[in-house]
Amino acid sequence: NSSMQKNASSGEVYHLIENIPPTGCGSISGGSGSGAFQNMIIFPSAKLAFCGIPKVGITQWIQFLRFIIGANDYPSWPHAKMEVNFFRFDKLDPTVQKRIWDDESWTFAAFLRDPAERALSAFLDKFETMGTNLKKTYGIDERSSFTFQDF
């Protein structure tokens, strides 16, 4: 009893025991989602399962999905839109999830971001843009300069 998992970055195929789909985009939910597959979005017509990573363009991918399905307000903030739930892997019945995992015609993809660039972006966003509030949160004197090196 084994199934196969495709590694999105290398294309290698791994055998899994007991026909259970592997953990997906991560092993924890981040507190607000429904588990490891909370950020996996499926594009059924293209047989694409996209593992969206927060801060690496997931909002734009969901907007693109909404464009494909004909939502008139597709450029708006997409995360609270109900129709997106129909395309979330974690919301599918487990038998459908398994069928997608086992179907070699599906492509699994994720975009990665350079970790150093992401760290700089987080610093600029959190401490330069919202600096005063976060400095208070972390007990940093508001008047002090807080550099990337300190971060």
Side-chain angles (χ1 to χ4, degrees), residues 3-5 16-24 37 89 94 97-99 101-102:
S3 63
M4 300 171 112
Q5 175 185 358
L16 301 171
I17 299 170
E18 299 180 25
N19 290 325
I20 299 172
T23 54
F37 294 104
F89 191 83
Q97 291 177 346
K98 171 112 175 55
R99 203 170 334 139
W101 276 110
D102 289 344

Side-chain angles (χ1 to χ4, degrees), residues 41-62:
I41 305 161
I42 60 168
F43 293 76
S45 62
K47 289 196 169 189
L48 172 65
F50 176 73
C51 180
I53 301 171
K55 305 297 182 188
V56 187
I58 189 170
T59 298
Q60 290 76 15
W61 276 101
I62 297 172

Side-chain angles (χ1 to χ4, degrees), residues 4 44 101 107 135 138 140 143:
M4 300 171 112
W101 276 110
T107 299
K135 284 182 180 179
Y138 291 105
I140 301 165
R143 296 164 290 173

Side-chain angles (χ1 to χ4, degrees), residues 4-103:
M4 300 171 112
Q5 175 185 358
K6 297 174 194 171
N7 181 316
S9 62
S10 70
E12 295 176 284
V13 176
Y14 298 95
H15 291 277
L16 301 171
I17 299 170
E18 299 180 25
N19 290 325
I20 299 172
T23 54
C25 300
S27 59
I28 59 172
S29 71
S32 62
S34 58
F37 294 104
Q38 71 175 358
N39 292 322
M40 186 171 286
I41 305 161
I42 60 168
F43 293 76
S45 62
K47 289 196 169 189
L48 172 65
F50 176 73
C51 180
I53 301 171
K55 305 297 182 188
V56 187
I58 189 170
T59 298
Q60 290 76 15
W61 276 101
I62 297 172
Q63 288 171 326
F64 179 63
L65 171 66
R66 294 188 73 245
F67 172 79
I68 289 172
I69 64 172
N72 291 330
D73 66 338
Y74 70 89
S76 65
W77 185 250
H79 297 283
K81 305 294 184 177
M82 292 303 295
E83 73 272 5
V84 172
N85 286 332
F86 293 111
F87 299 93
R88 291 182 50 159
F89 191 83
D90 64 334
K91 302 289 185 186
L92 298 174
D93 181 270
T95 57
V96 175
Q97 291 177 346
K98 171 112 175 55
R99 203 170 334 139
I100 290 171
W101 276 110
D102 289 344
D103 186 342

